[in-house]
Amino acid sequence: MLEKIIIVDFGSQYTQLIARRVRELNVYCEIHPFNSTLGLDESVKAVILSGSPFSVRDENAPQIDLSNIKGKMPLLGVCYGAQYMAQHFGGQVLPSETREYGRANLSYVSQSNSFMKGISDNSQVWMSHGDTIKQVADNFEIIASTEDVKVAAYHIKGEDTYGIQFHPEVYHSTEGLELLRNFIVTVAGCSQNWTASSFAETTVADLKEKIGNDKVVLGLSGGVDSSVAAMLLKEAIGDNLYCIFVDNGLLRKNEFEQVLEQYKDLGLNIKGVDAKSRFYEALAGESDPEKKRKAIGRVFIEVFDDEANELTDISWLAQGTIYPDVIESVSATGGPSATIKSHHNVGGLPDFMKLKIVEPLRLLFKDEVRRVGKALGLPDNLLGRHPFPGPGLAIRILGDITPEKVRLLQEADAVFIDGLKKAGLYDSVWQAGVILLPVQSVGVMGDERTYENAVALRAVESTDGMTADWVHLPYEFLAKTSNEIINKVKGVNRVVYDISSKPPATIEWE
């Protein structure tokens, strides 16, 4: 049986980072909201309580019944989770007298405790809380402190129950991963056998059981996510998988033809559908980013409904949805997380479409998807392809969409992406593209005045898409790219480079 860690989400912005760190240790984990059934079967090796934007002293603070967990299996409380246990089991939590945000250093570590083994006395940790644990019950022992926080970590005697006031999941906690390893491997006894190969094997078996002899239709995009989802489904159900690749008129230059050829080489049943006019009609005159996304999602579903009706006995719609899509569209667990932006493949199907959804990658981050794809034998050129947004170039055209704007952006984007590949820079960039700005600027070409479009180049480096930094591309490359775009793409006379990181910006402009 697959070992797993349950992470109880109290709404912290860091909950998904806890999951990332646990998986880096080759241990499977799931995030569940605090008010849901946790599914505590014999496969669960430990439970982690997350942080929260709430104070444990708030009247409406999240509550959880720990009677089936505490003292019965390893339990770790992080920040709010630690304060919650301290408050509910005989201690006292009060507002902090001084702000406790940002970097701090441990001043005391109990090396005799297996949870703290190997953690340096002056290890840097990351604090993010407005309350502090002022007092703990007699059966609590303090196992780490900082100069300002006496109860930085505690252990409940006679139990594998621990609490930490800091966040080990963020990179600023320099030995945070080691601390999580102590809890997950040493205390909980996890065998660290959840790998890309084991995920693929388990997922294929689950898909076989879930789908049986039913037929599935899958929308392929040419990207890593839908491609890996397709190969998992092909392994599970073979010829019962029917793939559709929709040309929404918002793809990169020549992408429709190139992707169709690539998928045929992988042995997939695939049909190409030219639906450009339907998408352009739905987007006509629309400038609002969210409404553009909604329109694209609606037409996407309508096209799929039409195509699925031409096939016989289709029961399932497969999607390449991954975890960051879910996190940014809605709370991953139904908790109080804010919606950042909608994703076209998140949120269910309309009532008229009588298909069940299957999403093999829903709980994976992008780097995990690539590892699974490699385990399935997908070619490197496909696995190394930059992420491309589901709504395509529609969210890289600020303002309304027209075929002419799409043509202009496709041409500029082709210059940028081809240039990255020729310069040997493509593989060192997580995601790159060009944004068509809703402004014109004055320029001079020859002896004539021009008043044409401005475009922005965007290139970022990231691990999972949750955070990203802009890439320091060489000035010489940027100069050459700017010159080539202005000379080759009629209608552009100015090129700028976006040097914003995520956060506060997002990777895409819309």
Side-chain angles (χ1 to χ4, degrees), residues 52-63 79-80 83-88 91-97 101 129-134:
S52 175
F54 291 92
S55 163
V56 296
R57 299 175 298 102
D58 291 344
E59 186 176 339
N60 60 340
Q63 306 283 322
C79 199
Y80 178 92
Q83 294 178 354
Y84 182 87
M85 290 194 291
Q87 179 91 336
H88 282 75
Q92 187 180 39
V93 176
L94 295 174
S96 303
E97 294 176 0
Y101 294 96
H129 56 97
D131 292 339
T132 195
I133 301 170
K134 281 293 185 183

Side-chain angles (χ1 to χ4, degrees), residues 236-482:
I237 63 173
D239 291 339
N240 278 345
L241 173 64
Y242 297 84
C243 301
I244 297 170
F245 180 40
V246 176
D247 184 356
N248 59 10
L250 302 164
L251 303 174
R252 283 179 159 148
K253 185 179 180 180
N254 300 327
E255 188 172 30
F256 186 59
E257 297 77 15
Q258 292 169 358
V259 168
L260 282 176
E261 285 301 316
Q262 188 172 39
Y263 281 138
K264 288 175 182 176
D265 292 341
L266 294 175
L268 295 171
N269 295 326
I270 182 166
K271 177 182 179 182
V273 180
D274 184 349
K276 291 192 290 289
S277 60
R278 292 180 65 171
F279 282 89
Y280 288 157
E281 182 180 348
L283 290 166
E286 186 56 70
S287 299
D288 181 83
E290 275 296 290
K291 290 181 180 178
K292 286 196 289 188
R293 286 177 177 270
K294 298 290 186 184
I296 291 166
R298 174 178 56 79
V299 177
F300 177 81
I301 292 297
E302 290 172 356
V303 171
F304 260 82
D305 188 50
D306 292 344
E307 295 301 323
N309 285 333
E310 291 186 11
L311 300 168
T312 57
D313 302 323
I314 297 292
S315 302
W316 298 83
L317 171 66
Q319 298 189 139
T321 310
I322 64 171
Y323 214 7
D325 297 340
V326 178
I327 294 165
E328 288 193 335
S329 295
V330 293
S331 165
T333 58
S337 303
T339 298
I340 297 173
K341 58 187 176 183
S342 298
H343 287 262
H344 76 285
N345 57 344
V346 178
L349 296 173
D351 292 338
F352 70 79
M353 196 170 186
K354 307 301 181 184
L355 295 179
K356 295 172 282 187
I357 293 181
V358 57
E359 298 172 313
L361 310 176
R362 187 178 179 85
L363 294 180
L364 292 188
F365 292 91
K366 179 72 75 173
D367 56 317
E368 295 172 323
V369 174
R370 286 197 169 101
R371 287 198 290 271
V372 171
K374 195 168 188 65
L376 291 168
L378 268 73
D380 289 340
N381 66 329
L382 193 156
L383 293 177
R385 186 172 185 245
H386 289 178
F388 189 63
L393 299 180
I395 58 170
R396 293 181 180 175
I397 297 173
L398 306 192
D400 66 325
I401 309 298
T402 67
E404 175 57 22
K405 288 182 179 180
V406 173
R407 181 206 63 79
L408 187 151
L409 184 55
Q410 285 176 332
E411 295 292 339
D413 181 82
V415 171
F416 186 32
I417 299 301
D418 290 347
L420 287 169
K421 291 177 179 178
K422 291 175 183 176
L425 296 168
Y426 185 85
D427 291 337
S428 62
V429 173
W430 160 268
Q431 185 169 335
V434 180
I435 296 88
L436 178 60
L437 304 180
V439 296
Q440 281 76 45
S441 69
V442 173
V444 177
M445 292 186 179
D447 293 325
E448 296 183 2
R449 174 187 185 275
T450 63
Y451 192 61
E452 294 181 333
N453 295 283
V455 297
L457 309 182
R458 180 76 159 139
V460 299
E461 53 188 3
S462 179
T463 300
D464 51 32
M466 299 302 296
T467 60
D469 290 321
W470 62 280
V471 177
H472 293 242
L473 294 175
Y475 288 144
E476 295 79 8
F477 171 79
L478 291 173
K480 182 179 179 181
T481 301
S482 173

Side-chain angles (χ1 to χ4, degrees), residues 162-174:
Y162 300 86
I164 48 177
Q165 185 60 83
F166 53 90
H167 289 270
E169 67 273 21
V170 303
Y171 286 114
H172 305 296
S173 292
T174 53

Side-chain angles (χ1 to χ4, degrees), residues 215-233:
K215 294 180 179 179
V216 178
V217 61
L218 167 65
L220 287 170
S221 68
V224 176
D225 305 332
S226 64
S227 301
V228 174
M231 295 306 290
L232 286 168
L233 285 159

